[in-house]
Amino acid sequence: MTGSDVAELQIRVAGWAGYGVNIAIDGSYGSLTTEAVRGFQRAYGLNPDGVAGSLTFSKIYSLQKADCSPLHFSWTEVSNNCGRGLNSNGSVPLAEVKENLKRVMWRAEALRHQLGDTPITVTSGFRDKACDGYPYGQHTYGKALDLVRVLSIADLCVVARQARS
């Protein structure tokens, strides 16, 4: 399969691709997409066959709000402060910034689940060039989030280990 529906699926499962894998959001249902779907299915107790069938989509839809953002993150959260509500100058056009933010929010949703569904707060997401200390950093493209997870011991190491895979 190919097309925009596959690309939307890839965005939602990209955080499940595995250690060191960064699947392209290219609209082509290849082996990396299949593995990411399997990872998503395993994580949510579904049959890990790599096929995005009705049960897989049902689970994805249960994690998604009407605006296509993941359940536990919001556009406001990823654009407040230096992003000035997504009304300012980034390093790419605003539509591309929003698409990039949607992708990183879905990856953060996967990380949140991998960490036991404990809350993760975005402390900084999109930053316009005037606010970001590095005007061509990943934040000005909408490709990065700074996250805080409220836990106890060795939190940073736990998050880093999970984020890698």
Side-chain angles (χ1 to χ4, degrees):
M1 288 188 65
T2 60
S4 61
D5 289 346
V6 174
E8 289 299 319
L9 171 67
Q10 289 171 323
I11 289 167
R12 285 151 182 80
V13 300
W16 298 102
Y19 181 77
V21 178
N22 188 9
I23 70 170
I25 310 301
D26 61 4
S28 179
Y29 204 114
S31 61
L32 294 179
T33 301
T34 300
E35 284 307 309
V37 169
R38 280 190 183 117
F40 177 88
Q41 291 167 328
R42 274 191 293 277
Y44 287 100
L46 303 172
N47 177 29
D49 60 6
V51 176
S54 60
L55 292 176
T56 300
F57 276 106
S58 179
K59 186 60 191 175
I60 288 170
Y61 296 148
S62 76
L63 296 170
Q64 177 174 289
K65 294 184 278 190
D67 65 3
C68 296
S69 64
L71 188 60
H72 299 102
F73 297 93
S74 72
W75 294 103
T76 302
E77 183 178 22
V78 299
S79 67
N80 66 2
N81 300 327
C82 285
R84 305 186 214 305
L86 289 175
N87 291 320
S88 288
N89 185 22
S91 293
V92 295
L94 189 56
E96 190 173 338
V97 167
K98 287 182 178 180
E99 189 62 29
N100 291 338
L101 284 171
K102 182 171 67 171
R103 294 174 185 188
V104 297
M105 283 193 289
W106 276 100
R107 288 176 183 244
E109 186 73 26
L111 178 61
R112 184 185 189 281
H113 186 69
Q114 291 167 359
L115 293 168
D117 289 315
T118 56
I120 296 176
T121 302
V122 176
T123 58
S124 182
F126 172 69
R127 300 177 194 151
D128 67 21
K129 288 185 203 177
C131 184
D132 197 11
Y134 185 64
Y136 298 100
Q138 296 303 302
H139 287 278
T140 66
Y141 292 89
K143 290 183 174 184
L145 300 177
D146 295 337
L147 306 171
V148 172
R149 179 172 177 236
V150 181
L151 262 188
S152 55
I153 312 166
D155 206 24
L156 182 59
C157 290
V158 170
V159 172
R161 221 176 357 262
Q162 283 303 127
R164 276 197 307 257
S165 61

